[in-house]
Amino acid sequence: MFKTLDDLDFAGKTALVRADLNVPMLNGVVTDATRIARLAPTVKDLRAKGAKVVLLSHFGRPKGKRVEEMTLAPAARAVEDVLGVPVTFANDCIGADAVQAIAGSGDAVVVLENLRYHAGEEANDEGFAAALAALGDIYVNDAFSAAHRAHASTHRIAGLMPAVAGRNMQAELEALSAALGEPERPVAAIVGGAKVSTKLAVLENLVGRVELLIIGGGMANTFLYAGGVSVGKSLCEPDLAETARQVMAKAAESGCEIALPGDAVVAREFKAGAPFEVVPIDAIPDDAMMLDVGPETTRSLCEKLQSCRTLIWNGPMGAFEIPPFDDGTVGLAEAVADLTDAGSMRSVAGGGDTVAAMSAAGVSERITYISTAGGAFLEWMEGRALPGVEALAEAAK
Ligand code: ADP
Ligand code: MG
């Protein structure tokens, strides 16, 4: 499949590590260092194996030009703090600045400036990839979250030098392959969140691969509407009703059960303290919107999950940012965590808001694997080949 840090000799070698330092930042300070913390195993292993570590990353969208607000310098300082290693920052990711920074860095980890300051990065340009490759001996891709992009530092470079997966990439690929590659069955998926339109490809892929598809969040409304339920003022995409019917037909053909909410928590406004009520799904008032699945739905879904061996979860069941509309998401999250603790289920969750919801529910540590990859995680759920992963597989042949 792909090689890992265990497969090559790193002693005295310079490892070019594609990291994801595209972290949340406010006024030049990193506000969430989760992604940096996840680099620790790769950086520590490489240093223990005697390698010089050089970190490559993009940040924001400077579109091929130097944009000072998008410098990786603050991220470099965060690497130093979070990983507890000395760090040298190079003003450019290729050329003399990079070469000199690496040569003079002694025991320090080197962080190179934003790859996207050069147009060659997003263009997957061979010349730019070669300029990167010239800086080291072995390429290590540890950025699963950037693997859905065919860019010079995620794709082209892997064809120019020995290429392996870092620990974070390896853990992600192993967890994902255990969930959808050769999963223990039955497999359930929970797909929630705001809109069907953003997750159509996910739904289409999953109905052919899982035994139970739980649809929640705003997207459940479109499915309910497609089945003739009146959803009042709920978030709904009537244009996608026909598509929703096709998904349901494909599910029926492939023996996938689709579970939709049977009751709902509705309110007239989406704000803290707004009056709310629980109603059966066929009694949503015309002037109200469904903001969460109801308690009966949560109870019945928790029961269905009891017999599932594998779960893939993307998208909250309700508008979880404001209580009490987080009840459905939290209730399911606790049930999933219990089943995972009990060893009867392997659970994988991913997506920006989903990660936040798991953390708000206090179960992050009890889910088998939480992917922080966002776009790459969704493309993987869509069943698409990820160029960064393909390139590592190609390099391992
Ligand atoms: P992720 O980031 O995990 O992929 P999404 O971005 O697709 O998830 O969905 C999260 C958003 O969906 C949240 O902002 C949440 O408030 C919203 N949402 C969930 N349920 C509803 C609902 N019933 N009505 C309106 N918005 C909803
Ligand atoms: Mg989101």
Side-chain angles (χ1 to χ4, degrees):
M1 268 300 285
F2 54 88
K3 291 199 170 106
T4 71
L5 301 188
D6 301 319
D7 297 313
L8 297 181
D9 179 10
F10 283 91
K13 299 284 169 53
T14 296
L16 300 178
V17 180
R18 178 51 160 104
D20 186 354
L21 302 178
N22 189 35
V23 291
M25 220 183 274
L26 190 67
N27 303 324
V29 178
V30 173
T31 55
D32 178 1
T34 311
R35 280 181 172 169
I36 293 176
R38 287 213 172 184
L39 282 172
T42 295
V43 171
K44 296 214 163 99
D45 266 20
L46 284 171
R47 283 164 67 84
K49 288 170 186 287
K52 146 100 354 206
V53 176
V54 178
L55 300 178
L56 292 64
S57 178
H58 72 284
F59 185 80
R61 297 174 185 272
K63 305 221 169 96
K65 298 189 310 284
R66 189 169 273 273
V67 177
E68 286 313 325
E69 303 82 79
M70 295 183 196
T71 176
L72 274 172
R77 287 193 290 274
V79 169
E80 192 158 53
D81 293 346
V82 175
L83 301 189
V85 291
V87 168
T88 297
F89 183 67
N91 246 324
D92 200 353
C93 61
I94 54 170
D97 279 350
V99 171
Q100 279 159 20
I102 295 169
S105 60
D107 180 45
V109 166
V110 179
V111 174
L112 302 180
E113 182 57 288
N114 197 344
L115 292 160
R116 290 191 185 166
Y117 279 2
H118 293 265
E121 165 64 357
E122 292 184 76
N124 202 11
D125 180 68
E126 176 101 32
F128 179 68
L132 291 173
L135 301 173
D137 306 301
I138 300 172
Y139 168 69
V140 177
N141 190 347
D142 212 25
F144 177 81
S145 49
H148 57 317
R149 307 275 184 236
H151 291 170
S153 71
T154 59
H155 184 255
R156 187 72 70 197
I157 191 174
L160 303 180
M161 62 202 300
V164 304
R167 296 300 184 207
N168 190 29
M169 172 72 93
Q170 185 186 347
E172 187 101 25
L173 293 176
E174 284 168 1
L176 298 191
S177 125
L180 261 195
E182 291 134 27
E184 278 194 53
R185 296 190 178 274
V187 183
I190 301 176
V191 182
K195 291 182 170 183
V196 173
S197 49
T198 58
K199 293 185 183 168
L200 204 50
V202 170
L203 295 168
E204 282 168 345
N205 180 42
L206 290 178
V207 285
R209 305 179 73 157
V210 306
E211 281 74 34
L212 172 66
L213 176 59
I214 294 170
I215 300 179
M219 59 202 314
N221 299 323
T222 301
F223 279 81
L224 292 166
Y225 172 87
V229 173
S230 162
V231 297
K233 292 224 163 10
S234 302
L235 177 65
C236 181
E237 295 169 287
D239 294 356
L240 288 174
E242 184 46 37
T243 309
R245 280 190 285 270
Q246 283 164 12
V247 169
M248 289 192 275
K250 186 175 169 198
E253 266 169 42
S254 41
C256 167
E257 176 188 353
I258 290 197
L260 288 168
D263 63 345
V265 181
V266 302
R268 268 83 186 168
E269 300 172 279
F270 178 44
K271 65 170 202 202
F276 63 91
E277 56 188 307
V278 175
V279 297
I281 209 66
D282 56 3
I284 299 177
D286 286 346
D287 63 344
M289 51 194 168
M290 156 142 92
L291 289 172
D292 194 13
V293 298
E296 181 50 35
T297 301
T298 304
R299 195 202 52 75
S300 120
L301 293 178
C302 289
E303 196 177 297
K304 282 184 195 293
L305 287 176
Q306 299 284 331
S307 57
C308 296
R309 305 283 294 158
T310 302
L311 172 75
I312 306 153
W313 187 345
N314 169 257
M317 297 303 284
F320 75 101
E321 295 92 337
I322 298 185
F325 311 116
D326 59 340
D327 280 355
T329 305
V330 171
L332 271 189
E334 283 170 351
V336 167
D338 287 345
L339 291 167
T340 308
D341 278 346
S344 77
M345 170 184 277
R346 175 189 288 274
S347 50
V348 172
D353 291 291
T354 310
V355 174
M358 295 302 134
S359 153
V363 302
S364 302
E365 306 301 319
R366 300 168 60 211
I367 303 295
T368 312
Y369 190 78
I370 293 201
S371 172
T372 54
F377 180 79
L378 276 178
E379 289 201 18
W380 166 79
M381 277 185 87
E382 292 172 5
R384 293 177 32 178
L386 306 178
V389 176
E390 297 275 281
L392 289 181
E394 194 59 38
K397 277 183 189 164

